[in-house]
Amino acid sequence: MSLSFANSITVQGRARALVPLCVGAAAYLFFMYVGDTLLQDSDSLWQIKIGQWILDHHALPYTDFYSFTRPGAPWVSTSWLSQVLFALSYAQWDWAGPVILTALAVALSAAMLVSLLETHLEIPRAVLFAMFALLLSLHHILARPHMLALPVMIAWVGALMAAADRKGAPSWYWLPLMSLWSNLHGGFVLGLALIGPMSFVALWGMESGKQVRLLSRWFLFGVAALAASCVTPYGWRTLLGAINILNLGELLTIISEWAPANFASFNAFEGALFGLIAIGLYRGLTLSPPRILLILLLTWMALTHVRSIEAFAFLVPLVLAKPLGERSALPQPGTQGGESWAARYVTATGALMIVAAGWTSTSLYMAHHRFTFTMDQTPVAAVDLLEKRKAQRIFNAYQFGGYLISRDIPVFIDGRAELYGETFAMDVFKAVEFKKLDSLTRLLDAYQIDATLMVADAPAAQVLDHIKGWKRLYADNIAVIHVRTGGTEAGAMPEAESSREAVK
């Protein structure tokens, strides 16, 4: 009987070791299958374009050279490493490259989350948390730099949380993770910001004498992490560039991914909040004030900016894992005694088989499917016409900037909001939405615009139909083009207004 029980423990241990890899493989295959949905954000276009420029010139950009409204203005790419990786994958496999890279990042994130959670939770619950995290993040899983940084974020916060759970300080061996994160994406500032709250989790309940010593260790780690975040080609300017994005004020409420969460209709995030409350009530959880602070902080971020929902989805389970595990108080299989060499060999063989199966599936799928960038929001025909007319200064919609950059056409504005600043970008948005009567004509005249490229249903596109000096040249269900007409002063009053003035 004891031998049977021991064998059962060994088998469970082997199976447990493969669970994170199985979850990661499943996530990878799923996102490979729906890979075209990862290619529907125009920001992916300019991210790859910048990566190609870096590879071609063996240098990093320090000023803007893609727009005609900010030429030569200081600008650093806080995601340069991700951009290079995307450019390399695109050059190798066309659009399949960014899809594979993104799917791998998502798979690694899911696998790491399960691996971190199963330290405290039963396997089914750890897997369930990972599935919910992916579900909540679906809206923001795109072929863009933040996805390549996602597994680094999980590893970093997992290391901090593990140190806090054992009432210790993080090892300095984890500092290279911060350097990697700061080269991949500007979201590394979140990792720095979480060091303080995590340290209070570690300090809570300790004797005052020990608290002082431990706090000093966390403080030194925080200073070292700050220094590590500046280990980039840009140095301290990487930190400054990332912070500038967060200081865009009102503009952050206009850009969709920075907008607050919308509860006009029921969505997955709303369900997650209800689920979080239900877990606390049902399990009777009693959390320390620092853990409550962490959860409230992550929840506030997700409520304030929808792009922070994935941070909420992947990090809140890490904060809850230990308290939930203590409530369950179940024995962890596979922890009694060491495994033999043969057992480890079987586990390694199983892991290799899973990886091989994933790669074989990728090869077979790529042989029968061509990944393409979503063109239902890309003004291909309109830009073709503008190129034929040799338009030089195009007033473009914000969401068309990435595509224009990919076509080597100077842009009026694009997704690099931190380059243009709050005042300019808000002026553009108000002009496009026609919230100010003179905003549109003032910008068209000030920048000597000779053509406009608007979204088909933009108010400004309808208004230009009635402004003297402009005529509609082209329209489809994606974009509308207006061009200046000769011999008429641009920016004149709409015809209806000028008629009324004549009557007076």
Side-chain angles (χ1 to χ4, degrees):
M1 190 71 177
S2 60
L3 180 61
S4 175
F5 179 76
N7 289 337
S8 174
I9 290 293
T10 302
V11 171
Q12 290 181 46
R14 295 174 196 166
R16 189 182 186 92
L18 292 176
V19 167
L21 187 57
C22 289
V23 171
Y28 170 77
L29 292 175
F30 173 78
F31 283 101
M32 278 294 295
Y33 180 72
V34 299
D36 290 324
T37 66
L38 308 180
L39 304 174
Q40 54 184 350
D41 191 314
S42 63
D43 279 0
S44 300
L45 297 170
W46 67 260
Q47 300 279 6
I48 292 175
K49 190 70 174 180
I50 291 175
Q52 290 172 336
W53 186 93
I54 294 172
L55 291 171
D56 292 341
H57 294 80
H58 303 287
L60 294 176
Y62 284 84
T63 59
D64 172 52
F65 41 78
Y66 286 120
S67 78
F68 63 86
T69 52
R70 291 290 186 275
W75 178 75
V76 299
S77 175
T78 56
S79 302
W80 74 271
L81 182 56
S82 294
Q83 291 159 351
V84 167
L85 293 174
F86 275 125
L88 287 171
S89 65
Y90 179 80
Q92 184 69 31
W93 297 297
D94 197 59
W95 283 113
V99 169
I100 292 174
L101 203 57
T102 305
L104 283 173
V106 176
L108 183 57
S109 300
M112 290 177 63
L113 182 62
V114 172
S115 180
L116 290 167
L117 292 178
E118 69 174 3
T119 304
H120 301 288
L121 301 177
E122 309 95 314
I123 288 179
R125 289 187 180 182
V127 173
L128 193 60
F129 270 121
M131 292 174 60
F132 280 141
L134 291 176
L135 177 63
L136 282 176
S137 305
L138 279 178
H139 71 289
H140 207 215
I141 296 181
L142 302 162
R144 285 176 44 195
H146 68 276
M147 292 313 304
L148 302 191
L150 182 60
V152 182
M153 177 186 75
I154 295 170
W156 175 261
V157 176
L160 296 185
M161 198 73 249
D165 286 340
R166 66 173 184 270
K167 300 297 182 182
S171 169
W172 284 38
Y173 288 114
W174 292 108
L175 291 176
L177 269 181
M178 177 52 66
S179 297
L180 175 60
W181 192 356
S182 64
N183 284 279
L184 287 171
H185 188 254
F188 70 91
V189 293
L190 172 62
L192 295 175
L194 289 177
I195 293 175
M198 291 284 190
S199 68
F200 289 119
V201 174
L203 296 171
W204 188 259
M206 296 181 66
E207 299 176 2
S208 58
K210 294 181 179 179
Q211 281 183 336
V212 173
R213 289 193 296 272
L214 185 57
L215 181 60
S216 64
R217 293 172 60 193
W218 274 88
F219 176 78
L220 291 174
F221 179 83
V223 173
L226 181 64
S229 71
C230 296
V231 182
T232 75
Y234 292 114
W236 63 269
R237 279 177 286 193
T238 298
L239 181 61
L240 183 62
I243 293 175
N244 284 341
I245 298 175
L246 301 176
N247 293 329
L248 291 174
E250 184 184 2
L251 181 59
L252 295 182
T253 65
I254 302 297
I255 303 173
S256 58
E257 65 178 333
W258 286 100
N262 184 358
F263 296 125
S265 59
F266 187 81
N267 54 52
F269 179 50
E270 191 173 354
L273 291 177
F274 287 142
L276 185 61
I277 296 171
I279 289 175
L281 294 175
Y282 178 75
R283 302 292 299 179
L285 284 177
T286 301
L287 303 180
S288 65
R291 285 186 193 270
I292 295 173
L293 175 64
L294 268 172
I295 293 174
L296 291 178
L297 174 63
L298 293 168
T299 304
W300 172 78
M301 289 173 51
L303 290 170
T304 307
H305 307 300
V306 293
R307 68 174 294 156
S308 298
I309 289 178
E310 71 248 27
F312 170 90
F314 281 94
L315 302 186
V316 166
L318 295 177
V319 180
L320 289 175
K322 189 171 186 291
L324 284 174
E326 290 172 345
R327 296 290 298 180
S328 301
L330 294 178
Q332 301 294 318
T335 59
Q336 302 178 11
E339 283 190 343
S340 66
W341 179 89
R344 289 193 294 269
Y345 175 80
V346 170
T347 302
T349 302
L352 289 175
M353 291 177 65
I354 293 171
V355 173
W359 179 249
T360 302
S361 300
T362 300
S363 302
L364 292 174
Y365 188 62
M366 288 175 60
H368 298 88
H369 181 80
R370 177 180 172 81
F371 294 100
T372 57
F373 193 85
T374 303
M375 292 299 182
D376 57 358
Q377 297 178 354
T378 307
V380 181
V383 175
D384 288 343
L385 180 58
L386 288 170
E387 281 194 321
K388 288 181 181 179
R389 290 183 60 90
K390 294 182 171 53
Q392 298 298 314
R393 302 175 74 84
I394 303 169
F395 181 94
N396 62 275
Y398 179 86
Q399 53 266 56
F400 292 159
Y403 181 67
L404 289 175
I405 288 176
S406 73
R407 296 278 294 262
D408 294 316
I409 297 175
V411 299
F412 189 88
I413 192 171
D414 62 86
R416 298 170 297 161
E418 72 280 9
L419 167 66
Y420 300 96
E422 178 186 5
T423 301
F424 177 82
M426 285 303 303
D427 212 14
V428 174
F429 277 109
K430 289 175 181 177
V432 171
E433 296 298 320
F434 210 67
K435 294 185 179 297
K436 282 187 177 181
L437 185 61
D438 66 333
S439 291
L440 179 61
T441 54
R442 177 170 49 80
L443 287 173
L444 296 180
D445 291 342
Y447 290 94
Q448 301 177 350
I449 302 300
D450 51 35
T452 67
L453 180 65
M454 305 281 189
V455 177
D457 59 353
Q462 317 308 317
V463 171
L464 278 174
D465 289 335
H466 306 286
I467 294 183
K468 284 186 176 181
W470 292 89
K471 71 173 182 179
R472 179 176 292 219
L473 180 68
Y474 174 87
D476 57 25
N477 61 346
I478 299 174
V480 177
I481 294 176
H482 285 82
V483 295
R484 286 190 187 272
T485 57
T488 308
E489 183 182 356
M493 286 186 296
E495 293 175 2
E497 290 292 328
S498 60
S499 299
R500 284 197 290 270
E501 290 294 325
V503 171
K504 292 179 181 179

